[in-house]
Amino acid sequence: LWIPSVSGYLNYSAARIFYNNPIIGGFQGHSHGEGLARFPAPMDQIHTSTGGLTWRHRRTGVWSSMLAEFSTGTPLLPGGAGHDHGLLEAAAADPKLESVAGRLPSHLTADWSVGLDLLRETKRPVSLQFSVENVSNSPYRIAQESSFTPAQYSIGRVFSAGLRWHF
């Protein structure tokens, strides 16, 4: 009897992350976001959504999985927090901060995996897996705190293979 099964998930989060001054770090006596009581943290992604589908053929042990992630960009403070006092004063007057500070572009990525479950009837099954991360090979900027700091980028397309021993 041929009985395929499909499972999936969908996750969405909406959150804000702010730093509250004084934050003292790095160089002694240097405060980040000088002149602001509160400013967006470098990892502040307002909207993030992930989802995945897995198809499994129980009789043969073959399976395939597709995952996707969408995230809004992180804050960008041109000139860097603590360096452009005019920008920081304007940002302090704007409760959302985005209209002054700006954000990196949002991104959408997808991953795909295919595998084979071996020794499924034993106490310790083994699985072979082949995966492609970032299928479209579209690296995106994860963060860039200011125009004076280099951007941090995600990985491009990555191929991997693995052997899993379940215990």
Side-chain angles (χ1 to χ4, degrees):
L1 181 65
W2 185 76
I3 303 175
S5 64
V6 177
S7 62
Y9 70 93
L10 185 61
N11 181 46
Y12 170 77
S13 67
R16 296 302 312 261
I17 303 171
F18 289 97
Y19 283 160
N20 294 305
N21 267 328
I23 296 173
I24 305 296
F27 300 108
Q28 186 174 7
H30 177 73
S31 177
H32 298 281
E34 191 175 321
L36 284 177
R38 180 173 119 134
F39 59 97
M43 72 289 283
D44 178 37
Q45 289 189 121
I46 300 172
H47 303 284
T48 302
S49 184
T50 57
L53 283 174
T54 299
W55 171 83
R56 192 175 294 275
H57 187 263
R58 294 176 199 230
R59 188 180 59 171
T60 61
V62 172
W63 59 269
S64 181
S65 180
M66 188 70 162
L67 309 163
E69 175 189 320
F70 169 80
S71 292
T72 55
T74 55
L76 175 63
L77 292 174
H83 299 284
D84 187 340
H85 296 284
L87 172 70
L88 293 174
E89 288 169 10
D94 182 359
K96 290 190 176 183
L97 296 165
E98 273 66 272
S99 64
V100 174
R103 290 195 162 268
L104 295 175
S106 58
H107 65 274
L108 175 66
T109 59
D111 303 336
W112 174 72
S113 297
V114 64
L116 176 63
D117 294 333
L118 305 170
L119 307 171
R120 293 181 311 280
E121 306 302 323
T122 65
K123 289 183 180 181
R124 294 187 174 82
V126 174
S127 297
L128 295 173
Q129 177 177 336
F130 174 76
S131 299
V132 182
E133 293 181 54
N134 197 351
V135 173
S136 64
N137 195 26
S138 55
Y140 56 92
R141 284 190 288 176
I142 296 171
Q144 185 169 357
E145 292 183 40
S146 75
S147 57
F148 297 109
T149 59
Q152 301 163 11
Y153 285 88
S154 71
I155 59 173
R157 185 179 302 131
V158 173
F159 297 94
S160 64
L163 178 67
R164 261 194 258 177
W165 178 46
H166 306 267
F167 58 94

